[in-house]
Amino acid sequence: MDKARQLLAERERRKEKCHLIDCLQLADKIEILIADPSELAAIGIPSQSLARRVGRQIESLRNSLAHAQSFVEQDWPQIVRLTRRIHKMSHDL
C-alpha cells in the first residue's frame, strides 16, 4: 500500500487523474478480491482456492501479453477460457 500511495502522490503531482486502486499491481488487486468472500460470490467464484488459481492464470496471461511473448497453439484454449471468465465477471459487477 505504501508504494501505491507513493505512486498516487507522484501521479497527482504530475496532475494525472487516477485513483489509489489504479496504482496497485494486479497481484495486489487479486489478493484484495480474494479476501472478500462476498466479492468472490458476486463474480461467480465459489472459493478462495479457485480464485487464486484463476488469479495466477490471469497474471500469467497478462505477463505474456505485456512482454510480447508469442503464443503457441496449446495456449489458445486457456486464453479463450480466461477471456470468457473475465468477460462474464465484468458483466456480473
Side-chain angles (χ1 to χ4, degrees):
M1 287 302 292
D2 288 338
K3 285 185 180 185
R5 286 188 184 99
Q6 289 171 3
L7 181 56
L8 178 64
E10 176 60 22
R11 288 181 174 175
E12 288 174 341
R13 185 188 68 75
R14 290 187 270 158
K15 307 285 190 242
E16 294 177 9
K17 260 190 147 175
C18 73
H19 301 283
L20 181 60
I21 195 162
D22 300 323
C23 300
L24 292 172
Q25 294 188 13
L26 180 58
D28 298 328
K29 292 175 184 178
I30 291 169
E31 283 304 313
I32 290 168
L33 181 64
I34 288 172
D36 188 342
S38 64
E39 289 295 324
L40 289 180
I43 60 173
I45 297 181
S47 69
Q48 288 182 334
S49 61
L50 177 59
R52 280 195 172 81
R53 187 168 60 245
V54 170
R56 283 191 302 272
Q57 292 171 344
I58 292 170
E59 282 185 274
S60 175
L61 176 59
R62 180 250 168 234
N63 290 340
S64 293
L65 292 170
H67 300 293
Q69 297 175 357
S70 61
F71 296 106
V72 293
E73 189 172 327
Q74 63 263 25
D75 290 335
W76 287 107
Q78 179 184 9
I79 291 168
V80 171
R81 278 194 310 276
L82 284 172
T83 303
R84 286 181 179 152
R85 180 179 292 272
I86 293 167
H87 180 76
K88 181 184 180 324
M89 288 168 29
S90 66
H91 282 73
D92 289 346
L93 295 177

